[in-house]
Amino acid sequence: MAVGLFDTETPLRPLRAALAERAAAVLASGRYVLGPEVEGFEADFAAHLGARHVVGVANGTDAITIALRAMGVGPGDEVVVPSFTFYASAEAIPPTGALPVFCDVDPDTFCLTAETVRAALTPRTKAVVAVDLFGNVAPVEEIAALGVPVLEDAAQAAGSRAGGLRAGTLGAAATFSFFPSKNLGGFGDGGAIVTDDDAIAEMARMLRFHGSRDKVDYELVGYNSRLDELQAALLRVLLPHLDGWSDGRRAAARHYAEAGLGDYVALPRPTEGADPAWHLYVIRHPYVDRLGPALERVGIGQKAYYRTPVHRQPAMAPFADGAELPATDELAATHLAIPMSPVLDRLQAIEVVSAIRGARA
Ligand SMILES: Cc1ncc(COP(=O)(O)O)c(C=O)c1O
């Protein structure tokens, strides 16, 4: 039995008619940018998260740049960011005028820690981008206790929880991506900034609209970065299902554990108090370069996401001078994503585990 790396199709199947109906209504409405659907989605998502403000933007990368600027980050500042993440977590920093400073992660959780952040702090540090990688939840409270504002990059963690709160509500602000493969994935690009801070929200609203409140006075050099009406309307159809899908992702992780996956490879560890809605299920093994192709040959989806960590990417060379990140380098070499979706069932998990056992034999 083949098991794909994702299954984005099955969860959406029962919603196709409702999605088509909402899409048709938006097309007929004549309002496509910053209209009632964006306002409605912002209110729905804020209520879901238990946050005061959601500001819809064009994608999760712009969300980080805009949120950092709204938090006061600018030229001459430094922003600490893990290197073991999607490139955009760091790429979004230089457009603010600040410099990214790379920190290491805990190899068992994939997340940065208060210790790894402390090692990267300087008097110029203005913020930390704490990435909730693969759906695990970064220890935001411990990092904030170092005295530096935290932007939670929750692009991969919609539906995750930690300590009774939802991922995306833990720092001074947070960002989401609604890229189609995400836990809450739309039908094109989309993103959001989340915050309880009125001033950050107001600034983010201006920055997404050319630095203007009213299309008359332009107070800042901003961006054209809006969530569009179509995406917002479709995301409103999906949002009520996010918790159910997240439970499905948690169940899939349990199926793997019960099928004995931990006997063969290192399993991801939730951070203290976290209840991750795993976006990707990432295992570690010293010989993943052999394991990956062996799984592919028997129809099991697999992918190494970040073989070259961000601080070793050519464009980041000016910011990575001398960075020594041993856990990041080890993770980059040993991680492998295996199938994960809201509908991955017990039999599929058993199939994947037996393929892994066979591949190692
Ligand atoms: C951790 C992380 N941060 C930021 C982003 C950027 O989001 P987007 O692709 O919507 O720009 C992504 C996803 O693509 C991501 O996985």
Side-chain angles (χ1 to χ4, degrees):
M1 174 174 53
V3 185
L5 188 58
F6 299 122
D7 183 351
T8 45
E9 175 53 31
T10 308
L12 291 183
R13 207 172 289 141
L15 303 176
R16 288 283 174 203
L19 290 165
E21 188 264 311
R22 293 309 304 145
V26 172
L27 294 182
S29 75
R31 286 291 296 273
Y32 306 123
V33 177
L34 291 187
E37 294 295 342
V38 170
E39 264 178 42
F41 173 71
E42 289 177 344
D44 292 354
F45 199 37
H48 165 92
L49 292 168
R52 271 174 72 80
H53 304 284
V54 168
V55 181
V57 294
N59 56 68
T61 310
D62 284 2
I64 297 171
T65 304
I66 292 173
L68 287 172
R69 280 190 62 189
M71 289 164 67
V73 170
D77 296 332
E78 292 179 356
V79 176
V80 176
V81 63
S83 167
F84 193 70
T85 178
F86 179 56
Y87 180 68
S89 304
E91 179 195 30
I93 298 168
T96 67
L99 302 178
V101 174
F102 293 102
C103 72
D104 217 347
V105 291
D106 176 340
D108 294 323
T109 66
F110 317 117
C111 290
L112 71 187
T113 68
E115 289 70 42
T116 66
V117 170
R118 191 183 288 117
L121 294 178
T122 78
R124 287 180 299 282
T125 309
K126 191 70 180 263
V128 176
V129 175
V131 183
D132 295 334
L133 200 68
F134 304 142
N136 211 351
V137 186
V140 173
E141 202 179 309
E142 288 169 31
I143 295 166
L146 298 172
V148 54
V150 177
L151 174 65
E152 187 187 358
D153 176 356
Q156 299 187 4
S160 293
R161 294 199 193 89
L165 297 171
R166 288 186 184 271
T169 63
L170 307 174
T175 54
F176 283 92
S177 163
F178 306 122
F179 185 79
S181 62
K182 296 290 193 267
N183 290 3
L184 181 63
F187 299 83
D189 277 313
I193 296 155
V194 180
T195 184
D196 282 343
D197 184 313
D198 297 348
I200 292 175
E202 190 185 354
M203 188 69 135
R205 282 186 197 285
M206 282 173 64
L207 286 169
R208 79 172 169 181
F209 190 84
H210 306 288
S212 176
R213 292 170 211 267
D214 54 9
K215 272 202 210 181
V216 178
D217 293 316
Y218 295 84
E219 299 169 47
L220 300 160
V221 175
Y223 308 86
N224 175 0
S225 183
R226 284 90 57 131
L227 184 65
D228 66 69
E229 285 286 287
L230 195 57
Q231 293 307 324
L234 299 177
L235 287 166
R236 293 180 81 185
V237 176
L238 305 185
L239 182 59
H241 302 275
L242 176 61
D243 280 344
W245 292 333
S246 300
D247 287 343
R249 292 175 182 278
R250 293 184 183 99
R254 277 199 305 278
H255 295 321
Y256 276 137
E258 285 162 17
L261 181 61
D263 295 342
Y264 309 109
V265 294
L267 303 185
R269 198 187 74 218
T271 50
E272 181 94 27
D275 191 10
W278 296 109
H279 171 56
L280 298 171
Y281 199 76
V282 174
I283 53 104
R284 285 177 295 146
H285 189 271
Y287 302 118
V288 272
D289 283 340
R290 269 184 271 158
L291 183 59
L295 293 179
E296 203 66 42
R297 278 195 291 277
V298 294
I300 305 297
Q302 54 81 37
K303 186 171 171 183
Y305 272 79
Y306 311 129
R307 269 293 173 264
T308 304
V310 181
H311 76 291
R312 298 195 182 281
Q313 295 292 348
M316 291 292 138
F319 314 116
D321 194 25
E324 290 293 330
L325 307 173
T328 294
D329 285 334
E330 196 225 306
L331 262 177
T334 60
H335 79 285
L336 192 72
I338 61 170
M340 169 53 66
S341 83
V343 291
L344 188 123
D345 65 21
R346 200 175 62 85
L347 291 181
Q348 288 174 311
I350 289 169
E351 187 80 16
V352 173
V353 173
S354 80
I356 288 175
R357 187 179 57 232
R360 289 178 68 261

